[in-house]
Amino acid sequence: MAAPVISPVLLELARQFLTLSLLSIGGANTVIPEIHLRAVEIEHWMTDADFSEMFALSQAAPGPNVLIVSLIGWKAAGVVGALVAMLAMCAPSSLLTYHFANVWERFREAPLRIAIQTALAPVTVGLIVASGYVLTRTIDHEWLAYVVTGTTVILALTTRLHPLWMLAAAAVLGALHTGS
Amino acid sequence: MDTKKSSPALPHVTTSELFVGFLKVGLSGFGGVLPFARRMLVDKRRWLTELEFNEVLSLSQFLPGPNIVNVSIIVGRRFQGPIGALAATLGLMLMPLIIILLLAALYDQFAQIEAVRGASNAVSAAAAGLMLAVGFKMARPIHKTPWQVGIGVIAFAAIGLARLPLLWVLAVLAPLSVGIAWWQRR
């Protein structure tokens, strides 16, 4: 029996996201720079412009922000690629979580648990700021983009405005800017 | 169920209720699903108390993987074991996955139009700003602890500036940070 032929891109997608799944401490946002590194610079599945478009779509659509992974898979290998990437991204971490949930409950007051939580908080913060920075470097090439990024940071930090309004306002500005 | 002791009367939640509950969460979350998950789990359906939700969330954030997927795994497992975990996660991801692939296909059709590309670029720029803001907000509770600031800055520089591979950065930084936290505790 010959093994069914699976495209090398699908295997590579699976391999990349299976490892990323276990590295994504603090959530999908922390691995954005690594996804960019692998998808654009190592595997050449897409250009910088494609990547920022996929990111924009994943942010503008409803649902968890891990969906960026399905778009990377889609860009690399169509709908099957999207499913493979998503499954690879979720399966290892979900299995780990499933089995760990039980153990964790029993060590609620354990000093090591508290130390681990204290220790991982700043790592996560550093990684998320790095995500924002890498995205800004990837996306912002002209003055309007810098203004939009800066204004969004300020609004998000100082007001309780729903993020969707900021994305919507940016979409209108961007469309008008090119239209003029 | 081994997680029972934190809630004396564990509500009875069926597999299909888990699926439907998380299906609605997946559909409602724009720019982050967690607030909607909390509303469903704590306020509306009362499957978890506030305290239980915080515990589930902190575990979800500590473990690798998308936080909200981890929440659905833990909650699904709590009420219906493996099948419950599967139903909750499937419910959570099903509609958003379909919607985003439709949007991507649609975008491909219209990407040549300049206004659409302009809008997309500006949305990316705003989304990058949102990501930076989340990072800054999360830095607030740790900014008074010098070693935590140091670890955060090193993590940023290694990944954001030097673009080092995440595996190596975590392999060095995580044990180092846990070591400092452990040592500082005494």
Side-chain angles (χ1 to χ4, degrees):
Chain A
M1 283 274 290
V5 181
I6 301 172
S7 96
V9 182
L10 287 181
L11 285 177
E12 198 51 34
L13 273 171
R15 201 176 68 84
Q16 295 286 358
F17 284 108
L18 283 171
T19 54
L20 273 181
S21 176
L22 293 174
L23 292 178
S24 60
I25 289 174
N29 283 344
T30 57
V31 289
I32 296 260
E34 185 76 8
I35 294 176
H36 175 260
L37 195 71
R38 295 180 183 200
V40 178
E41 281 162 38
I42 298 175
E43 301 290 344
H44 302 291
W45 285 327
M46 62 193 67
T47 63
D48 258 356
D50 293 331
F51 185 84
S52 62
E53 280 164 10
M54 294 305 111
F55 177 69
L57 268 178
S58 75
Q59 296 295 304
N65 37 32
V66 65
L67 285 168
I68 174 83
V69 168
S70 71
L71 290 179
I72 303 293
W74 179 74
K75 203 77 187 170
V79 173
V80 180
L83 295 178
V84 166
M86 206 58 197
L87 204 64
M89 182 70 186
C90 293
S93 59
S94 295
L95 280 173
L96 183 72
T97 299
Y98 189 89
H99 293 290
F100 204 82
N102 184 18
V103 184
W104 197 242
E105 288 296 323
R106 276 190 252 141
F107 293 100
R108 187 172 307 161
E109 306 297 337
L112 184 61
R113 168 176 167 170
I114 296 165
I116 291 175
Q117 272 176 335
T118 318
L120 292 182
V123 177
T124 306
V125 169
L127 294 181
I128 291 194
V129 177
S131 290
Y133 177 77
V134 168
L135 286 168
T136 308
R137 293 294 305 260
T138 308
I139 294 158
D140 294 3
H141 298 302
E142 53 164 327
W143 66 269
L144 180 73
Y146 284 105
V147 171
V148 168
T149 303
T151 313
T152 311
V153 171
I154 293 166
L155 284 177
L157 286 177
T158 57
T159 70
R160 298 181 63 86
L161 198 63
H162 195 287
L164 200 59
W165 290 116
M166 304 183 208
L167 297 180
V172 173
L173 269 178
L176 289 178
H177 177 66
T178 44
S180 61
Chain B
M1 303 228 172
D2 25 34
T3 46
K4 212 171 213 163
K5 54 187 174 294
S6 51
S7 67
L10 195 69
H12 182 72
V13 181
T14 66
T15 305
S16 56
E17 282 174 325
L18 283 167
F19 181 81
V20 172
F22 277 97
L23 190 78
K24 287 183 181 164
V25 169
L27 274 174
S28 50
F30 280 96
V33 188
L34 271 176
F36 298 95
R38 189 184 183 284
R39 207 170 63 171
M40 187 276 281
L41 290 168
V42 179
D43 301 334
K44 286 175 117 176
R45 305 204 175 209
R46 297 175 197 277
W47 291 348
L48 301 177
T49 65
E50 274 191 343
L51 200 69
E52 286 168 336
F53 180 80
N54 288 352
E55 280 177 11
V56 167
L57 184 60
S58 95
L59 178 57
S60 305
Q61 287 172 330
F62 152 79
L63 289 168
N67 295 340
I68 183 67
V69 174
N70 287 347
V71 168
S72 68
I73 293 281
I74 298 171
V75 172
R77 165 188 170 278
R78 189 187 178 97
F79 296 111
Q80 293 292 340
I83 302 294
L86 205 63
T89 308
L90 214 64
L92 176 72
M93 300 308 295
L94 185 65
M95 292 316 288
L97 199 58
I98 293 173
I99 291 173
I100 202 157
L101 291 177
L102 287 178
L103 278 178
L106 210 68
Y107 179 83
D108 249 17
Q109 296 290 306
F110 295 100
Q112 311 91 309
I113 302 171
E114 220 171 316
V116 172
R117 269 218 313 278
S120 157
N121 287 344
V123 169
S124 321
L130 288 176
M131 182 82 78
L132 283 171
V134 168
F136 295 148
K137 275 185 196 165
M138 288 175 65
R140 278 176 192 157
I142 63 165
H143 84 281
K144 285 192 178 136
T145 316
W147 72 265
Q148 284 188 310
V149 174
I151 295 285
V153 169
I154 295 171
F156 167 76
I159 296 295
L161 303 178
R163 304 301 311 268
L164 298 174
L166 182 63
L167 178 61
W168 301 117
V169 174
L170 284 180
V172 173
L173 216 52
L176 176 72
S177 191
V178 172
I180 300 174
W182 182 257
W183 176 68
Q184 286 281 324
R185 144 200 94 89
R186 304 186 242 210

